[in-house]
């Protein structure tokens, strides 16, 4: 049977307006977490594995455009159209700091060492706030050439990256000198820029193109044309063998990193996809849409068995296991451990 198995995502409701940004924490002793930004002004924190709602950060008076968690998932940050960036206690939901700006704040990012918060927005200024001295004025980096759309840290907090809403390219700034050291040239405005977990690649989405750049030498590694205008892209963090992209066509596409071939296409959203992100272990990925929902999709088994290729979303296109073999394995299990299998059977019938 050639038909691919239809992926059934976990659907997370709660936002009343479009979901415009998603961010996964690294794996912590308590698991990993997912924070979402929405135009409804209320960022939400969820269990990254199950999608279960943990809490809502209340206090913004305008759309929230960006959100992030620090390395330990103990604090959250959000950037808003109410001209502020806020830092929150991720355990209690309390507001810890509110950093006032003079215009809409579009992007925010915690430094890797968690001591600094980087913000950018319509003012065309990148600001670095010292969270150990929140009352001190922020450091302002040399003016951005345009309105800031995305920000990120790399090179152990020695470099910052930003893209603009009104022009192409990604600019890299040396934190110490505050000067632009490199520009990654793109034709269209970069709507999504992600530094890979291992620090090797910068993944960008501009127009209908997804590009991968060497994060250390800044050369273009790969560039793939997408089936539609894409707003966001994310590289699988564990093996780096696939990437996801989402945009105007409302679908979440999965591609092979090495060839650019489409592996899977997930349908379910009822509006354009604004953001896609892989979980820190690569076992699932989340998409946020104009329809106000977050969908968490399973990548499928990440272990390579018998030299088989991993198929996204548990696609059965290349699977070699037949239903008969599965039932045979189940029978073997029953012989080995009858009690446990009975328990599983009873649980499955509930």
């Amino acid at each position: 049977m050639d038909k691919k198995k239809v992926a059934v995502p976990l659907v997370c409701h709660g936002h009343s307006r479009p979901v415009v940004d998603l961010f996964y924490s690294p794996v912590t002793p308590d698991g990993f977490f997912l924070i979402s930004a929405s135009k409804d002004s209320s960022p939400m924190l969820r269990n990254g594995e199950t999608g279960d709602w943990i809490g809502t950060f209340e206090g913004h008076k305008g759309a929230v455009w960006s959100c992030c968690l620090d390395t330990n998932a103990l604090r959250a940050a959000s950037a808003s159209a109410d001209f502020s960036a806020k830092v929150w206690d991720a355990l209690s939901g309390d507001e810890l700091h509110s950093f006032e700006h003079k215009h809409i704040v579009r992007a925010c990012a915690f430094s890797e060492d968690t001591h600094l918060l980087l913000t950018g927005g319509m003012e065309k200024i990148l600001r670095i706030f010292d969270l150990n001295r929140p009352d001190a004025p922020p450091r302002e980096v040399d003016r951005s050439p345009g309105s800031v759309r995305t920000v990120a840290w790399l090179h152990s907090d020695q470099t910052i990256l930003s893209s603009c809403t009104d022009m192409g390219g990604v600019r890299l700034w040396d934190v110490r000198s505050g000067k632009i050291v490199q520009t990654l040239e793109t034709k269209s405005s970069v709507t999504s820029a992600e530094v890979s977990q291992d620090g090797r690649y910068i993944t960008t989405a501009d127009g209908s193109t997804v590009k991968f750049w060497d994060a250390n030498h800044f050369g273009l590694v790969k560039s793939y044309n997408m089936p539609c205008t894409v707003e966001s892209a994310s590289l699988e963090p564990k093996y780096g063998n696939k990437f996801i992209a989402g945009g105007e066509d409302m679908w979440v596409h999965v591609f092979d990193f090495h060839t650019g071939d489409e592996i899977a296409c997930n349908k379910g959203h009822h509006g354009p996809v604004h953001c896609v992100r892989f979980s820190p272990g690569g076992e699932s990925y989340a998409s946020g849409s104009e329809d106000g929902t977050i969908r968490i999709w399973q990548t499928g088994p990440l272990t390579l068995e018998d030299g088989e290729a991993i198929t996204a979303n548990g696609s059965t296109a290349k699977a070699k296991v037949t239903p008969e073999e599965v039932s045979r394995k189940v029978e073997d299990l029953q012989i080995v451990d009858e009690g446990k299998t009975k328990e599983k059977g009873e649980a499955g019938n509930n």
Side-chain angles (χ1 to χ4, degrees), residues 147-224:
S147 176
V148 177
R149 171 73 187 253
T150 65
V151 296
W153 298 82
L154 62 164
H155 304 151
S156 303
D157 302 333
Q158 292 174 28
T159 310
I160 55 179
L161 159 169
S162 84
S163 71
C164 300
T165 50
D166 39 13
M167 62 180 67
V170 172
R171 276 147 287 280
L172 295 130
W173 317 67
D174 180 276
V175 172
R176 276 168 297 190
S177 70
K179 301 293 177 199
I180 296 174
V181 291
Q182 188 78 31
T183 300
L184 312 179
E185 298 292 351
T186 65
K187 282 184 185 172
S188 307
S189 165
V190 170
T191 49
S192 164
E194 175 192 76
V195 180
S196 65
Q197 203 167 277
D198 59 9
R200 281 178 63 193
Y201 297 111
I202 298 166
T203 304
T204 61
D206 72 290
S208 56
T209 312
V210 172
K211 294 182 174 72
F212 299 92
W213 311 80
D214 185 312
N216 298 302
H217 305 291
F218 307 122
L220 180 61
V221 179
K222 292 186 183 296
S223 178
Y224 294 122

Side-chain angles (χ1 to χ4, degrees), residues 240-259:
N241 60 352
K242 60 169 78 83
F243 67 95
I244 49 173
E248 280 184 358
D249 67 1
M250 304 189 247
W251 301 342
V252 181
H253 302 268
V254 187
F255 298 93
D256 183 291
F257 171 75
H258 301 290
T259 65

